[in-house]
Amino acid sequence: MARKSAEVRREEILAATVEEIEATGLRTLRVADVAERLGLSASLVIYHFATKEALVAAAFDHAGRNDLDHARNLAAGTGSARERLSEVIGWYMPAGSTRSWKIWIDGWSAGLFDEDLKSTFSALDRDWKTILADLIVEGIGSGEVASRGDEAGAQSADGFAEACATRILAYLDGLAVQLLFNSDSVSQEKLRAWVGEFLTSELD
Amino acid sequence: MARKSAEVRREEILAATVEEIEATGLRTLRVADVAERLGLSASLVIYHFATKEALVAAAFDHAGRNDLDHARNLAAGTGSARERLSEVIGWYMPAGSTRSWKIWIDGWSAGLFDEDLKSTFSALDRDWKTILADLIVEGIGSGEVASRGDEAGAQSADGFAEACATRILAYLDGLAVQLLFNSDSVSQEKLRAWVGEFLTSELD
DNA sequence: AATTTAACTGAATCGCCATTCAGTAACGCG
DNA sequence: CGCGTTACTGAATGGCGATTCAGTTAAATT
């Protein structure tokens, strides 16, 4: 039974945990299932993470950081600020990405009554906003994006970009929920078109 | 120990269940807590609902129907279609309403892996869309609302209204999530203003 | 090679909580 | 008033699943 260093094993377990949550939900998550997914004993999972609660918290953080890293790569790529913005948003979008939406909805619900998880999600959300807002500011600088300076409470381009990022993420989150519960009324193409229109009305 | 008819008691229990979910979340819901809230025995709750699962399903349906009834009243009120639309949306909005958002996020997460709950939520969502879409169609008829007929896949006013309702609800859902996790970046006034702008760009 | 360290396991333990059950008493109805 | 129905209870039961623990063995260290 090939032994691994704690660090490597922890990563494996976190990945397996995320997969398990993705597959069957937080509600029915058992540490024995996570272990079985890797052919390990449940005790080992607890050996590495002390409690199930800590495991779950670490797993969400892990998944969130991974997604953010990917997004940061896209944001640092070549192309105009507006193009990179579209790419990042395309990655966040609830369509055609490997980014899994189920776990986040599950996570939100757990975060409602768990302060630790809640702050994890707040932090992830802030990071997403920062990525978007930076690109928007860059776009304003290069003239690709028209800052609607008339907005109440947004004196600066930074303020506008931040608010704009918040609205975009909110819309994407909401569309994800629609997609999960009413895939009848929201096809992937419609979704893509709607997001495009929303971005136009926000940025152009 | 004042007895009540099954119907009355069931209503009480459903209300208490909703309150309990609202207060501490689905994850930690115990039937004993619901019972205690009413000064009853846990057995009685099971007597009336057979299983905890059935209780939860009934409670979500109950809460959803209540909200919808209220919304239908607003939609049937006096005033222009556009005004009534605003009222209905104001009621759905995650700000200042008694409508509780926490339970819906909890519900979404449970619905992800429970087909019964999922269809309950789909049905509720469809009803909300119908209310909004009807008002939009009415508004188009009276000229208060400008139908963007250029939309792909929306040949008729009905198609436009339906899609429009979907987008509005998505945006509201997403803003609710933002409000719950980042109340720093989303005040109630901002939220109200943003929704107003969104409606303008969708309808005017 | 011997010894220490650290990953790892299987078999208990242990608490929690939905559900069951056998019985009690309030209400309606003749 | 008696009698059946039905709301209601408290004390078991039973299963599930996280966590513990005493030990086992693979790697690292010397």
Side-chain angles (χ1 to χ4, degrees), chain A residues 73 148 162 179 185:
Chain A
N73 278 342
R148 304 211 312 280
E162 165 102 16
L179 193 62
S185 57

Side-chain angles (χ1 to χ4, degrees), chain A residues 3-4 6 9 41 43 47-48:
Chain A
R3 279 187 184 198
K4 310 212 174 161
R9 194 57 98 193
S41 68
S43 341
Y47 171 75
H48 281 298

Side-chain angles (χ1 to χ4, degrees), chain A:
Chain A
M1 65 212 68
R3 279 187 184 198
K4 310 212 174 161
S5 75
E7 198 188 0
V8 170
R9 194 57 98 193
R10 282 176 59 97
E11 290 267 320
E12 282 185 1
I13 294 174
L14 288 177
T17 305
V18 171
E19 284 165 24
E20 190 66 24
I21 295 174
E22 173 71 20
T24 61
L26 203 45
R27 143 163 291 97
T28 60
L29 181 72
R30 288 180 295 150
V31 329
D33 291 338
V34 172
E36 193 182 11
R37 208 168 252 270
L38 296 167
L40 302 172
S41 68
S43 341
L44 185 64
V45 175
I46 294 296
Y47 171 75
H48 281 298
F49 291 93
T51 68
K52 176 185 170 181
E53 206 186 339
L55 170 67
V56 168
F60 275 117
D61 191 67
H62 183 255
R65 296 288 150 213
N66 278 355
D67 283 355
L68 276 168
D69 286 347
H70 188 110
R72 286 204 190 88
N73 278 342
L74 293 176
T78 61
S80 69
R82 187 66 167 74
E83 283 165 357
R84 280 174 283 142
L85 190 57
S86 290
E87 280 174 36
V88 171
I89 288 169
W91 163 247
Y92 190 96
M93 265 220 294
S97 73
T98 28
R99 229 182 89 82
S100 150
W101 268 98
K102 286 188 180 180
I103 69 166
W104 299 115
I105 293 183
D106 238 339
W108 293 340
S109 122
L112 288 177
F113 301 97
D114 177 323
E115 285 307 317
D116 278 347
L117 274 182
K118 186 170 184 171
S119 59
T120 298
F121 292 125
S122 296
L124 292 172
D125 191 62
R126 265 193 300 280
D127 284 359
W128 273 101
K129 270 178 205 165
T130 302
I131 296 175
L132 292 190
D134 285 354
L135 286 172
I136 292 170
V137 168
E138 192 185 333
I140 293 175
S142 67
E144 298 167 73
V145 169
S147 173
R148 304 211 312 280
D150 58 331
E151 172 147 5
Q155 293 87 356
S156 63
D158 282 7
F160 167 77
E162 165 102 16
C164 193
T166 300
R167 291 189 297 259
I168 293 171
L169 290 177
Y171 194 45
L172 292 172
D173 288 349
L175 288 174
V177 173
Q178 287 291 329
L179 193 62
L180 285 169
F181 283 94
N182 266 319
S183 40
D184 320 345
S185 57
V186 192
S187 66
Q188 304 222 346
E189 311 90 61
K190 268 191 199 175
L191 204 135
R192 205 165 286 278
W194 291 352
V195 171
E197 285 169 27
F198 188 75
L199 288 182
T200 300
S201 86
E202 285 283 342
L203 302 173
D204 297 336

